[in-house]
């Protein structure tokens, strides 16, 4: 992710909702943790992205949102849900 003049660059399926919405002009550690959760989901989900559009990212409501595939380890599933927290 990089800044160029007041624009943010990055891959949509890994960007945090607040970054996509432009709510926060500064990228924070929580946005980085969101991205880590999205990457872990991709790896654990047989290379399938959890989010396919900006609308899916911004529409994510947290723990009650479904992750389509079961994770091999329940602890990893819980970790991903905590990383993809909308708070």
């Amino acid at each position: 992710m990089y800044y160029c003049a007041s624009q943010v660059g990055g891959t949509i399926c890994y960007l945090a909702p607040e970054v996509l919405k432009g709510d926060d002009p500064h990228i924070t550690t929580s946005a980085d943790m969101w991205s880590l959760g999205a990457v872990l989901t991709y790896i654990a989900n047989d290379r399938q992205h959890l989010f396919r559009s900006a609308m899916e990212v911004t529409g994510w409501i947290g723990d009650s949102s479904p992750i389509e595939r079961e994770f091999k380890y329940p602890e990893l599933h819980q970790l991903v849900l905590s990383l993809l927290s909308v708070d």
Side-chain angles (χ1 to χ4, degrees), residues 27-34:
I27 305 301
T28 62
T29 346
S30 62
D32 290 337
M33 293 297 102
W34 173 282

Side-chain angles (χ1 to χ4, degrees), residues 28-49:
T28 62
T29 346
S30 62
D32 290 337
M33 293 297 102
W34 173 282
S35 297
L36 176 60
V39 169
L40 286 174
T41 303
Y42 174 76
I43 293 168
N45 210 13
D46 291 333
R47 309 301 191 252
Q48 299 283 329
H49 292 290

Side-chain angles (χ1 to χ4, degrees), residues 1-3 6-8 16-32:
M1 187 172 339
Y2 60 90
Y3 281 103
S6 64
Q7 297 178 350
V8 175
E18 64 269 21
V19 175
L20 287 172
K21 292 177 186 174
D23 292 346
D24 188 356
H26 303 290
I27 305 301
T28 62
T29 346
S30 62
D32 290 337

Side-chain angles (χ1 to χ4, degrees), residues 11-17 20 34-35 37-39 41-42 45 48-62 65-68 80 84 86:
T11 305
I12 289 174
C13 58
Y14 301 125
L15 292 176
L20 287 172
W34 173 282
S35 297
V39 169
T41 303
Y42 174 76
N45 210 13
Q48 299 283 329
H49 292 290
L50 178 60
F51 306 110
R52 292 172 181 79
S53 70
M55 185 176 279
E56 287 182 6
V57 174
T58 57
W60 180 260
I61 54 175
S65 296
I67 294 180
E68 297 171 6
V80 166
L84 295 176
V86 292

